[in-house]
Amino acid sequence: MSAQMEQLIAQFENFQAKVRQAEARFAEVGDMQERIAQVETSVTSPSGEVTVVAGAGGTVTDLRLSAGAMRLEAGHLSSIIMSTLRKAVAGAAQQQAGIVDETFGMNTSEQVREAQAEAFGTVEEEPASQQQQPQQPSRPARRPAPRDDDDYFDDGSFLRRS
């Protein structure tokens, strides 16, 4: 057999190995999707008035109120519902990130926690060695100067897109 033919066979075998690797990855993705579809996090408020169940993608699948919840002032009950809902959705997102981490060997869980801390206004504790010095607050963005044309709807109108 010629050297050129042996090289072609080696390249073809390498190609087949890569196809098998890709197929294995696709199987892992399918398994991951099934596991994510089954994600469910149930959170009950500290005093037990509200229970929220969240599933994949942060979808709220159930909301239960105890009899005692009906005796609460509306604003207080609303606050408890929103707090419990956020915790349930956050828990579901963390479960999903954990599944992605397991499947691909990534660290998306940490990114999810950081994003949640930022979105919900909470601060994650960092080790002292990783804490940064406080930064000066940034200045608010300046509005553009008014335009001199006749199109008055484009000049700070509530219809303008940001």
Side-chain angles (χ1 to χ4, degrees):
M1 206 186 296
S2 72
Q4 190 176 25
M5 185 62 129
E6 288 178 13
Q7 184 179 9
L8 286 174
I9 291 172
Q11 287 176 345
F12 181 72
E13 288 173 352
N14 186 31
F15 174 75
Q16 285 181 321
K18 289 184 183 211
V19 167
R20 284 190 297 276
Q21 288 174 345
E23 288 172 344
R25 279 293 207 200
F26 282 124
E28 290 174 11
V29 169
D31 180 53
M32 179 188 73
Q33 288 174 326
E34 287 178 24
R35 291 175 59 205
I36 286 174
Q38 296 171 3
V39 164
E40 185 173 88
T41 300
S42 179
V43 176
T44 299
S45 62
S47 44
E49 300 98 348
V50 177
T51 299
V52 177
V53 180
T59 304
V60 175
T61 58
D62 194 13
L63 171 67
R64 294 185 295 270
L65 304 175
S66 71
M70 298 295 106
R71 292 188 286 272
L72 296 174
E73 184 267 325
H76 183 63
L77 177 58
S78 174
S79 175
I80 292 172
I81 290 171
M82 290 305 297
S83 173
T84 308
L85 189 138
R86 283 185 192 105
K87 289 176 185 174
V89 169
Q94 289 171 8
Q95 276 188 347
Q96 285 180 239
I99 292 168
V100 171
D101 290 351
E102 290 172 17
T103 303
F104 295 112
M106 300 170 65
N107 190 16
T108 55
S109 295
E110 183 63 29
Q111 294 170 347
V112 166
R113 280 191 293 278
E114 289 172 5
Q116 290 171 342
E118 185 177 317
F120 299 140
T122 59
V123 178
E124 282 195 322
E125 291 297 319
E126 293 182 66
S129 62
Q130 293 181 3
Q131 289 181 353
Q132 297 178 357
Q133 296 298 323
Q135 296 178 353
Q136 295 293 328
S138 61
R139 292 183 179 174
R142 299 178 99 183
R143 291 195 87 163
R147 292 173 37 174
D148 290 333
D149 61 8
D150 291 334
D151 191 5
Y152 58 90
F153 288 110
D154 191 37
D155 195 7
S157 167
F158 68 94
L159 298 173
R160 191 173 92 205
R161 291 185 180 187
S162 337

